[in-house]
Amino acid sequence: MSSNKVLLGITQGDPNGVGFELILKTFSDPNIYKYCTPVLYANPKLFVYWKKQLDLQEPMYQLVPSAAQAKEGKLNLVVSSEDSLELEIGKPQDSAGLEALKSLNKALEDAQYLQALVTAPLDKSTVAKHMAGFSGHTGYIAEKLGVNQYAMVLTSEELRVALATEHVPITELGKHLTKEKIAQKIGVLAAALKAEFNVVKPRIAVLALNPHAGDNGLLGKEEETLIKPAIEQHFKDGMLVYGPYSADSFFGSGNYKNFDAVLAMYHDQGLIPFKTFAFFDGVNVTVGLPIVRTSPDHGTAYDIAGKGIAECLSFRSAVYEAIHLVRNRKQVAEDYSNPLPYSELRRERFRIDF
C-alpha cells in the first residue's frame, strides 16, 4: 500500500436512501483514487441493483476479503451481506436497516486496517429495530471501538461546531448535561483541533444552555453551576476557552468568526446555524477515535432517493476531509515525535554565532 494513499472504509448506509447514489457518483471519478484506496462494505447485489437503477457503468469493483487485501486504483468491496432484498426505495424498511447495520459492523471489524471511515446515511429508527439503544453512528462507533471520550464535530469552511450532547430528546437534556461532560468535551475538542485540524493554539467558544445565558440565574442556573466551572477548569490550565455565550447573539453578531470551534450544548443549538452556513458541503467528524471518521451532514433523503438527482457534494467533502485529517494526524505526530528538551530549546533560541 502506497504510504501517501489513505486506506479508506465506506459503509453503504440505508439502501433505500441516497447512500448508494452518493457512493457511485463519488467513486466514478478516477481522480479520487490518486489520494485514497477505498474499501466499500456492502451487499454486492444491492450495489449492482443501484448501478442499473441509475444507469451507471462506473465504478467497477473488485471483491476482497478485508481491507488488508485492498488494491490501489480500484474500488474494493468487502461483502457485508449477500441477502436478497426487495427494496422500497424512498421508504423506511426494517430489512434495509439491518443491511445498513451489517455494513457498519463489517467495517468496524476491519477498523484495525483502516485509517479512516466514511459512513453513508442510515435511518436510525430502522437500525434500532435490530440494535436496541441505537441512536446514531457517533456513539455506536465509539462504543464498538472502546472509546469513552469522543465528540461530534460539524466542520465547514466557515464554522466548526461540536456538541456537548448528541441525539438526546430535549426533555431529557438535564440527565445528560453535567459539568464533567462539558469539561470532557472541551478537552477532546481541543486535542482534536491540535492533532487533526492542525490548530496550534485553538480558541474555543462555549455556548450557554438557557436564553440570554441564564440572565444571572433568572432564566436558569446551568451556566453558573455547570458551564462556567467547566470552562474555568480548562482556562486555568492555559487553554483559550471562553463563554458561556448566548447562542442567538453569538451567531447573529458574527462572533463565531473569532474562534476555531464552538461547543454547543445540544443538537439543534449547534446544527441550525451550522446547516444555515453549510447545508450542502458540511461534514460530520467524530473526534477522539483511533481512526478518522467522517460522514455527510445530511440524512437518507428518502424524498429524492432513486431519482438520480442527489447532490454528492457533502459526501465527496466527507471523503476528502477524511483524507485531509489522516494526513494532518500523521504530520502533527511527526512534528511532535521528538521534541527538544526545554533547556535545549532555550539554547537554540538565544544562541549567537560569532
Side-chain angles (χ1 to χ4, degrees):
M1 186 68 61
S2 178
S3 60
N4 65 339
K5 291 187 179 181
V6 173
L7 187 55
L8 182 76
I10 306 108
T11 63
Q12 69 176 29
D14 187 320
N16 283 330
V18 294
F20 270 112
E21 181 176 347
L22 303 178
I23 293 165
L24 288 166
K25 286 181 176 179
T26 297
F27 291 99
S28 291
D29 181 357
N31 289 313
I32 204 165
Y33 300 96
K34 298 176 183 177
Y35 310 105
C36 69
T37 299
V39 183
L40 173 63
Y41 299 85
N43 183 324
K45 296 176 182 178
L46 299 180
F47 184 93
V48 171
Y49 172 88
W50 269 97
K51 283 188 71 175
K52 292 179 179 178
Q53 176 76 16
L54 298 169
D55 192 25
L56 294 173
Q57 298 301 313
E58 297 291 339
M60 303 299 288
Y61 71 83
Q62 62 175 7
L63 288 173
V64 292
S66 79
Q69 288 79 37
K71 304 292 192 303
E72 291 186 8
K74 296 180 180 179
L75 178 64
N76 300 272
L77 190 148
V78 174
V79 176
S80 59
S81 168
E82 294 186 276
D83 295 342
S84 297
L85 177 63
E86 187 173 341
L87 293 177
E88 298 178 19
I89 295 177
K91 297 179 181 178
Q93 184 182 12
D94 289 353
S95 53
L98 181 58
E99 288 291 320
L101 181 60
K102 287 180 177 180
S103 170
L104 178 56
N105 284 338
K106 193 68 177 177
L108 292 175
E109 289 175 13
D110 248 5
Q112 59 184 314
Y113 305 117
L114 299 172
Q115 294 172 283
L117 177 65
V118 179
T119 55
L122 50 68
D123 184 328
K124 299 178 186 67
S125 65
T126 58
V127 174
K129 298 286 181 65
H130 310 282
M131 178 56 62
F134 184 88
S135 62
H137 279 113
T138 303
Y140 185 78
I141 292 172
E143 181 182 355
K144 285 289 186 180
L145 295 181
V147 174
N148 294 319
Q149 298 189 20
Y150 60 90
M152 178 190 292
V153 180
L154 289 303
T155 181
S156 71
E157 288 292 328
E158 284 198 68
L159 180 64
R160 296 188 191 100
V161 174
L163 303 180
T165 58
E166 289 91 36
H167 298 110
V168 174
I170 292 293
T171 53
E172 298 180 13
L173 195 58
K175 302 176 185 177
H176 297 269
L177 201 59
T178 64
K179 183 190 80 170
E180 290 74 22
K181 171 168 273 192
I182 296 168
Q184 181 189 103
K185 296 293 184 181
I186 293 171
V188 172
L189 175 59
L193 287 170
K194 294 177 183 179
E196 296 183 19
F197 294 95
N198 202 17
V199 181
V200 176
K201 191 68 174 177
R203 291 171 55 88
I204 298 172
V206 180
L207 299 183
L209 174 66
N210 297 298
H212 309 297
D215 246 348
N216 295 316
L218 181 65
L219 301 178
K221 302 185 183 300
E222 286 82 2
E223 284 72 25
E224 299 296 328
T225 60
L226 305 179
I227 303 174
K228 284 185 180 179
I231 292 171
E232 290 169 0
Q233 173 183 326
H234 288 290
F235 193 83
K236 288 177 182 177
D237 291 335
M239 190 180 296
L240 301 180
V241 54
Y242 304 94
Y245 295 99
S246 180
D248 54 354
S249 59
F250 179 81
F251 289 107
S253 67
N255 196 14
Y256 67 90
K257 297 177 183 178
N258 297 316
F259 296 91
D260 298 297
V262 180
L263 179 67
M265 291 299 104
Y266 58 93
H267 185 277
D268 284 12
Q269 185 188 55
L271 265 68
I272 288 174
F274 181 82
K275 290 193 175 185
T276 300
F277 291 123
F279 186 78
F280 291 106
D281 63 346
V283 176
N284 184 349
V285 182
T286 305
V287 299
L289 302 177
I291 63 173
V292 168
R293 179 258 164 168
T294 68
S295 73
D297 184 31
H298 59 71
T300 55
Y302 284 140
D303 56 325
I304 61 171
K307 298 178 182 179
I309 60 173
E311 173 55 66
C312 63
L313 180 58
S314 183
F315 186 85
R316 188 183 293 116
S317 296
V319 170
Y320 281 110
E321 182 72 359
I323 295 167
H324 178 65
L325 294 179
V326 169
R327 289 179 173 179
N328 276 354
R329 276 190 175 191
K330 183 178 180 181
Q331 187 62 56
V332 171
E334 289 177 357
D335 289 346
Y336 290 89
S337 62
N338 190 27
L340 286 171
Y342 180 69
S343 58
E344 291 186 35
L345 281 173
R346 285 182 60 83
R347 283 199 294 272
E348 288 290 325
R349 183 177 178 183
F350 298 110
R351 184 176 60 191
I352 299 176
D353 294 322
F354 295 98

